[in-house]
Amino acid sequence: MFENHLSMEDIGADKWPNIILWAAPIMFLLVFIEWGISLYQKKDTYDKRDFLAAATIGFVNVGISALLKVFVFGVALFCWNLVPWKIPASAWSFVACFFAIDFVRYWAHRVAHEQRFWWATHITHHNSSKYNFSVSFRLGWTQHIKIIFFVPVMLMGFDPFVFFICHQIAVLYQFWIHTEYIKKLPRPIEFFFTTPSHHRVHHASDAHYLDKNYGSTFIIWDRIFGTFMPEAERPTYGITKPVTSYNPIYLNFHEWSDIVSDLRKAKNRKEAFQILFGKPGDEVIKNRELREKAEKEATETKAVTSSPSAPTPVLVSNENSLLKKED
C-alpha cells in the first residue's frame, strides 16, 4: 500500500505558488485607497494605531505561515498517501475541494465562537472597533492549530496541490468582505455568497447580531444550519468586552491569559473543562464565586433568624401588676 508514496520533492511543493503573498501588494493598495476615501469623506473608518496593529499582526502571520508550510504540506501529503482512493486534479476536483473546505471552514469558524479555547485563537480578528480592509489582516497567531479541522478534507483524497490552492483562495476571499463601502449586492449573490453585508453582521457586538453569519465564501451554510441574519441597522463592531490596547502581543494573547488565570482558580476537572470548552463569556469562575457568596449570605441570614432569643415575660391575668399601688 505504501510503496508508491509521494514525497514533497516528488510533487514539487516548493514551487507551488503563494497566492496570498502575490496578492499582498494589491491588498495594501486597496487598504490605502479605502483609507484615503474615508479621509476625504471625513469618516472615522480608520485609526492609525489600529491599522499598525493589524499590519503587524498580518506580517507576523506571514512569517508563521512560512515556518509552518512544510508541516501543513506534510500533513496533507500524509493524508494523501494514507487513503487508498485518489481524486485526480481536474477542474471538477477544484470545485469539489473548494466546497468541502468551505463547509469545514463554516464549522471551524462556528466552533471558534462557541468554545472558549478556540475563541482564544480567533478573538484577535474581532477585537477591533473598526471595520475596514485592514481587519482582514488580524488573524490570531495561534489560529494555525485549526488545521486539524481540515484533516477530514485531506482524507477525502484530493490532490495536495488542489487542497493547497483551494485553501489559499478561501483565505484570500475574506479580504474584500471587510468593508463598509460595499453595500448590499444583487439578491442572487446575497443569497449564495458571503458578502460584506453578511460579514458586517458577523463582526457586530450587538446582542441580536452575536453568533451569526459564520460562512466563509458561501452563506448557504448559515441558511441551512440556522445561523443566518440579514443586516439591518449599522452594527457596533468589536467584542462585548472591548479592548483598549493596540499592542499586537496583547491583542493575540489577552484571552489566553484570562483562560490561564481562570484555570488556576478552577476547583475541579469539570470546572476546568467548562472554562476551556464552555461558551466565551460564561464567566465560570466569576459566576461560581457569586453563587458561593450568595449561598454564604443566605446561610448566615438563616442562622440569625433561627437562633433562640431571650424569653419575653408574660403577665398572667391573676397576677398583680407591679405598677399598681397596693391597698
Side-chain angles (χ1 to χ4, degrees):
M1 175 181 174
F2 296 97
E3 55 194 27
N4 293 321
H5 280 192
L6 296 174
S7 67
M8 286 192 284
E9 291 76 17
D10 294 331
I11 60 177
D14 58 322
K15 298 182 178 64
W16 290 356
N18 191 328
I19 299 175
I20 297 174
L21 199 58
W22 289 356
I26 299 173
M27 293 161 69
F28 271 96
L29 176 62
L30 290 173
V31 164
F32 291 123
I33 290 174
E34 184 185 45
W35 197 343
I37 293 172
S38 70
L39 289 173
Y40 178 77
Q41 296 180 344
K42 297 182 180 180
K43 289 186 176 181
D44 190 27
T45 305
Y46 276 83
D47 178 279
K48 183 172 67 175
R49 293 169 298 175
D50 190 77
F51 165 73
L52 290 174
T56 302
I57 291 169
F59 281 129
V60 173
N61 244 320
V62 170
I64 294 173
S65 297
L67 291 173
L68 293 176
K69 181 179 179 181
V70 174
F71 172 74
V72 175
F73 285 175
V75 174
L77 194 57
F78 174 80
C79 293
W80 165 263
N81 286 322
L82 184 65
V83 297
W85 52 84
K86 311 294 181 190
I87 302 177
S90 68
W92 287 110
S93 71
F94 274 95
V95 173
C97 185
F98 192 84
F99 267 90
I101 286 174
D102 201 68
F103 178 75
V104 171
R105 283 179 66 88
Y106 167 85
W107 285 106
H109 195 180
R110 182 167 175 173
V111 169
H113 279 258
E114 295 180 350
Q115 293 185 0
R116 192 180 178 192
F117 175 86
W118 297 105
W119 173 237
T121 71
H122 185 57
I123 192 172
T124 311
H125 187 60
H126 284 268
N127 55 23
S128 173
S129 61
K130 302 296 182 182
Y131 193 76
N132 51 57
F133 284 143
S134 75
V135 172
S136 65
F137 303 156
R138 298 171 67 109
L139 299 175
W141 296 341
T142 57
Q143 54 103 19
H144 300 277
I145 64 176
K146 290 191 287 188
I147 189 66
I148 65 172
F149 287 101
F150 296 92
V151 170
V153 179
M154 298 176 186
L155 291 172
M156 293 175 70
F158 290 109
D159 186 295
F161 176 75
V162 173
F163 176 85
F164 174 75
I165 295 299
C166 289
H167 188 267
Q168 284 197 86
I169 294 173
V171 172
L172 190 60
Y173 183 92
Q174 301 307 297
F175 174 77
W176 79 281
I177 60 178
H178 290 89
T179 183
E180 291 192 280
Y181 280 96
I182 300 176
K183 304 303 180 182
K184 290 191 177 184
L185 299 173
R187 291 182 66 181
I189 297 175
E190 292 281 338
F191 182 83
F192 197 80
F193 293 94
T194 299
T195 66
S197 175
H198 299 146
H199 209 59
R200 285 192 289 268
V201 168
H202 178 70
H203 273 259
S205 60
D206 309 279
H208 61 291
Y209 278 155
L210 291 178
D211 300 330
K212 301 296 181 183
N213 299 359
Y214 296 114
S216 181
T217 300
F218 305 122
I219 202 66
I220 53 172
W221 311 124
D222 290 282
R223 296 183 185 279
I224 292 170
F225 298 112
T227 52
F228 174 74
M229 177 171 282
E231 182 184 30
E233 71 278 3
R234 183 177 184 267
T236 302
Y237 302 111
I239 54 179
T240 54
K241 289 184 177 180
V243 295
T244 56
S245 174
Y246 295 98
N247 185 324
I249 295 176
Y250 178 83
L251 294 173
N252 272 279
F253 297 107
H254 67 91
E255 183 66 13
W256 287 114
S257 176
D258 290 345
I259 288 175
V260 171
S261 178
D262 284 351
L263 285 174
R264 286 175 176 169
K265 299 175 185 176
K267 280 192 168 182
N268 48 51
R269 291 181 180 179
K270 180 180 179 181
E271 195 167 80
F273 184 86
Q274 290 175 330
I275 291 167
L276 282 172
F277 299 107
K279 280 189 70 69
D282 274 356
E283 301 283 6
V284 175
I285 299 299
K286 182 179 179 181
N287 288 333
R288 188 250 291 161
E289 290 175 344
L290 289 173
R291 188 168 57 251
E292 289 176 345
K293 182 180 178 182
E295 290 172 354
K296 182 180 178 181
E297 290 175 350
T299 301
E300 291 174 349
T301 302
K302 184 177 179 182
V304 171
T305 56
S306 62
S307 62
S309 56
T312 304
V314 179
L315 182 65
V316 182
S317 59
N318 59 358
E319 291 183 352
N320 292 325
S321 173
L322 295 177
L323 298 177
K324 288 184 179 180
K325 185 177 179 181
E326 292 185 358
D327 294 332

